[in-house]
Amino acid sequence: MSNANLPEPSLDRVDGRLKVTGTATYSAEYQFKNLAHAVLVTSKIAKGRITGLDSKLAEAAPGVLAVISHLNSPGVPGYPSVKQPAERAPIGTAFRVFYDDFVYFSGQPVAVVVAQTLEQARHAASLVQVNYQTEKHETDFEANLAKAAVAQSVQRNKTSPFQDYDRGNPDAIKTAEVKLESTYVFPTQHHQPLEPHAIIAVWEADDKLTIYDKNQGVKSAQGNLASTFKLPRENVQVNSPFIGGAFGSGIRVWPHTIAAVLAAKKVKRPVKLVLGRELMQTSVGSRPFTVQKLAIGASKDGLLTAITHEGIGQTSTYEEHLERTILATRAMYACPNVSTRYRLLNLDVNTPTWMRGPGDATGMFALESALDEMAHELKIDPLEFRIRNHADRDPERNLPWSAKSLKECYRIGADQFGWNKRTLEPRSMERNGLLVGYGMASSLYGFHRHPSKAKAIMLADGSVVVQSATMDIGPGTGTAMTQIAAKMLGVTPQKIRFDLGDSSLPDAPGQNGSATITSVGSAVHVACESLKKKLLALAAAMPGSPLANSRFEDITAKTGRIFPIANPSAGISYSEILKYHRLPQVEVTEESKPGPERDQYSMYSFGCHFVEVQVNPLTFEVRVTRVVTCADVGKIINYKTARSQSIGGIVGGIGMALMEESVMDHRFGRYVNTDFAGYHIPVHADIPQIEVYYVDQPDVYVNPIGSKGLGEIAIVGVAAAVANAVFHATGKRVRQLPITVDKLV
Ligand code: MOS
């Protein structure tokens, strides 16, 4: 579909004007009288101990209010009271801010300087003298692969999905008619949202904290801070109404947040702390460096017979970050014999975290590359190979899918792309002296739904307020929720306001795992349904009411008027109902939870991507020239915002395929490309025409609205589709991302 020709519903973003006019207030932009500014001092070494920290010069610098380190921290009540432990923190310990003298990674906060102005704080931070006793660090993932092991948390949890998995015969791979083995290397990547992480921390009283913070979950941040600072939950207020992108970097509460809260406590003033781009690379997680070994076996006529998939992911020395790297391989294709192994490698780095399509984006790069390699080996069209191995039910759980229109996605995508023009042989298509390649990949993402609450309020003038402590990190949550409420209540979207990003609102999960519409949207749906029922009862009680004996099934509502379906002219408006009953407002709060269906059906979003590349045969410059994507994510709530989500995921996938890589200098254990000059992401000139299609059929088992997650599946598989297209163009298979020129010459 083109932008100008979007199917309904395609409501414009309800907060679009606020955002494009600079009126939306982001965390760092709140104004406070008496606001102080904090700047972190971070470790220059990757492992060792702080032997001395001299802040005299800094404290004497103009405007400085405090320099806080492990030597004088006001203390975090939630940390163990031992002041200087003898040993480094064991695995499973979240990083403790200004707690002891151990250094776990380069870029670790070792002090924070608070001053009247940002400039004064920055200058004073440069004056803090830190001395270290350096220990030998290990940051080189590939050099330490042999040390990878089963995660301790997995060893303890026998039902962990990351346990070793064998389906069918684990030795089947050895006897496969055709067998391929490959290793795929995925570099560390960083989320790089446009808005850097930022917080303003305000202690309203000794036991009352308010923060304005960039994060993906106000309720989880509230809970975390309440337990960290041993405060009653209701004494922590988190405000995060606008988020300028996050991609997973805002799911956790990170050390800089704790540092800012400590700083505000110490100086008894509101304190603002903004991470610069450089610190974003060591402060808010990363997509972990991952190495995958994949062996794939097939019969000569193109049926998969065996897959073994081993994934090794990077983590820190103090925490275990696990992600779905090998899990998609168990569910994606109808293969009788599948074995997966998942290992972690602890290095002297900060803990990785989830980044858009966590695990699946990494794992599906390997699986979908391997499928392409096998199709090439068998001389079968890669799309035909996937269709032949389509899983008609979930082979992992041996359950029917709740809904799966992947074959329809393949058909729509292939038709719109013109896949039938693809020649089988690599390096066989050309245009204007450039090599042309067509590549495709499948995509899947698991279904997550969490208990969520929403409050729906009908006001006297017939306008509606809906509230939930959910988030919008960019996809347009408020817009979709407004549409769901408008549809249920029969009120025009312009009369609805949706409040989010405020921890005092009804309980809802943070925005992650592509679960917002399905979780919170369901809550909004049931809250508005319940409100409509309450209003119907009030209307029925009015003298001579045309709705007196109407059942809920027999009525409907439109433009703020509720009426019998059989007699549309005999209605009553919401404002009349409230006026008659002399009510300033009518409100309900409802919770929506997943039902037993998820034990009866296997729930996933599915999709596929088709990519065309042009490669210069002399310079090996790769250009993505066309992308067609099609997804089955159930019912589409808003075509316009959905399309933007899909495009965003594909842009991320193109970056992943061709550009993104955080490079570390292992002599120092430090990232070297810590700005956008060194860490490359696609710019407009790198992005071609992207066509987005949806099957748009409700999945009746997932929730009352029939809609599944879209945010993550948008990126899953894209890098493989690009790599497969590059192979088709050049005959060169690159298994180590990003696919830069040096890997093609
Ligand atoms: Mo997403 S990685 O769950 O923000």
Side-chain angles (χ1 to χ4, degrees), residues 547-615:
L547 298 157
N549 296 309
S550 300
R551 291 176 312 165
F552 187 69
E553 302 73 47
D554 301 329
I555 61 104
T556 189
K558 222 173 158 179
T559 56
R561 238 177 99 259
I562 189 164
F563 54 87
I565 295 167
N567 188 6
S569 60
I572 306 178
S573 73
Y574 291 131
S575 53
E576 285 168 331
I577 299 170
L578 270 71
K579 191 173 171 198
Y580 173 80
H581 289 281
R582 297 167 193 257
L583 292 167
Q585 62 183 61
V586 177
E587 63 173 61
V588 297
T589 301
E590 294 287 348
E591 181 172 34
S592 177
K593 290 179 183 174
E597 295 83 2
R598 58 178 170 188
D599 298 324
Q600 296 151 5
Y601 297 93
S602 185
M603 299 170 178
Y604 283 88
S605 293
F606 291 97
C608 55
H609 311 287
F610 292 83
V611 169
E612 178 191 277
V613 297
Q614 270 177 201
V615 183

Side-chain angles (χ1 to χ4, degrees), residues 62 101 198 219 229 232 258 277 281 297 415 417 434 446 531 569 574 601 611 636 643 666 668 678 737:
D101 62 17
K219 283 286 186 186
F229 286 92
I258 307 294
R277 197 52 67 179
Q281 246 158 322
D415 282 357
F417 184 80
L434 299 170
L531 178 63
S569 60
Y574 291 131
Y601 297 93
V611 169
I636 299 296
R643 176 177 177 274
H666 296 298
F668 309 106
L737 295 181

Side-chain angles (χ1 to χ4, degrees), residues 216 247-248 251 354-356 358 511-513 712:
Q216 289 177 238
F247 312 107
I251 296 174
W354 302 282
M355 182 167 151
R356 199 171 192 177
Q511 185 156 68
N512 55 67
E712 325 261 349

